[in-house]
Amino acid sequence: MEVLQDNVPFGVSEIIVALVVVVIGWYLSNVVVRLTGRTVARRIERPSVTRTVLRGVRISVLVMAFAVAAGVLGVGDTELLLSVTVISAVIAVVLAPLVSSFVTGIFVLADRPYEIGDMIEITDEGHTGFVEDITIRYTKIFTLENTFIVIPNSEIYTRDVINYSAEDERTRISVEFEVTYESDIEAARRHAERAARSVDMVIGGGPDIRIGSARYAAAPVCTIDSYADNGILLTLAFWVQHPYKQRIARSQVQSAVRSRFADLDIEFAYPHRHHVFDETTGVARVAVGDGDDDSPAPGYEHRNAHDADRDGEAMQIDSDPELGDS
């Protein structure tokens, strides 16, 4: 310091020393993090808390380095930094959102709604992905669409979050489909269960899966949901080992069900419409020809009958017994 003061103009030497102190502090922060990283990880055993503690250690070393640098520059006791007005403005404009995120981040780390590596879904936004990082201020999510989403902890803490990896990664999926009333319902249920078991990602059987006080069969189960307008609604419920490929598992199960039903006397239901004609609709003559004659087009007499009925005249066109009735 004395050498710099003797050979460097006043003020420049203090700046050089301050920069050297900051660089040394940055280097020391990295060294301290490397030396304490394994010890902190073994004691805490939670990646999110471990990263937060190590970030705190790094920031503490850097703050000490900046404090020493400020002392070298002589700005530690200035009245500007101690001004109540300036401090209040900084807190109101800058620190208030940071303090809110900081407090919420502590709640997130303490309540443990999710952990780094968990697969979560934000229901109101429709985002699904893996938790990449959790800090005091935000949560970073790596979505299944290969994009990153950074959500402040103050916002994600108030949203509905589904954690697929909390305790047990096995996930239950339901598929609904309708079969006609003429189909063999018991055969449809039995073969739907077999179709689900034929998919590799589906758990085919084993001990019941316990969730709280409830127990669910591990093997696929097909049940009658309701008697709908067009057919009988069946629900096929099955479990997958991992939640990462739910759409693929659902698609493969539905393809397997369709393939099995195609070889059986089971038909998927679809909307039908029945048209009923009574005595007020009239009788129309239907003529079958090769198109070379000048006979009126089919439905011509029916349109005339409709016009006659509309005018209040009672009119009926008899059908030709040789041509058949419509």
Side-chain angles (χ1 to χ4, degrees), residues 200-278:
D200 294 336
M201 288 184 290
V202 175
I203 300 176
D208 292 345
I209 297 176
R210 182 174 181 178
I211 302 178
S213 59
R215 291 181 179 272
Y216 298 91
V221 177
C222 186
T223 57
I224 298 176
D225 190 279
S226 63
Y227 294 96
D229 296 336
N230 303 309
I232 300 176
L233 180 62
L234 302 180
T235 300
L236 176 61
F238 54 92
W239 293 82
V240 293
Q241 191 68 40
H242 303 287
Y244 314 135
K245 299 180 179 180
Q246 296 186 44
R247 295 180 181 178
I248 296 177
R250 186 189 303 272
S251 177
Q252 291 183 358
V253 168
Q254 294 188 96
S255 298
V257 170
R258 179 178 176 84
S259 298
R260 280 185 173 268
F261 283 7
D263 300 331
L264 302 172
D265 188 19
I266 302 173
E267 182 182 1
F268 287 103
Y270 56 90
H272 291 75
R273 296 292 181 267
H274 296 276
H275 299 279
V276 180
F277 297 92
D278 55 19

Side-chain angles (χ1 to χ4, degrees), residues 35-89:
L35 294 177
T36 60
R38 292 186 177 181
T39 303
V40 174
R42 284 196 302 266
R43 291 181 176 274
I44 298 178
E45 297 181 353
R46 287 186 58 192
S48 59
V49 180
T50 299
R51 293 186 183 184
T52 301
V53 172
L54 293 179
R55 289 191 184 100
V57 172
R58 184 191 300 273
I59 292 174
S60 299
V61 176
L62 291 176
V63 168
M64 294 177 60
F66 278 107
V68 174
V72 172
L73 296 175
V75 297
D77 298 328
T78 58
E79 296 181 357
L80 180 63
L81 295 178
L82 299 178
S83 174
V84 177
T85 304
V86 174
I87 293 176
S88 301

Side-chain angles (χ1 to χ4, degrees), residues 126-147:
H127 298 307
T128 303
F130 298 92
V131 179
E132 182 72 14
D133 194 9
I134 304 174
T135 68
I136 292 295
R137 297 185 296 107
Y138 61 84
T139 296
K140 183 185 292 185
I141 302 174
F142 188 51
T143 68
L144 299 181
E145 288 76 20
N146 197 27
T147 58

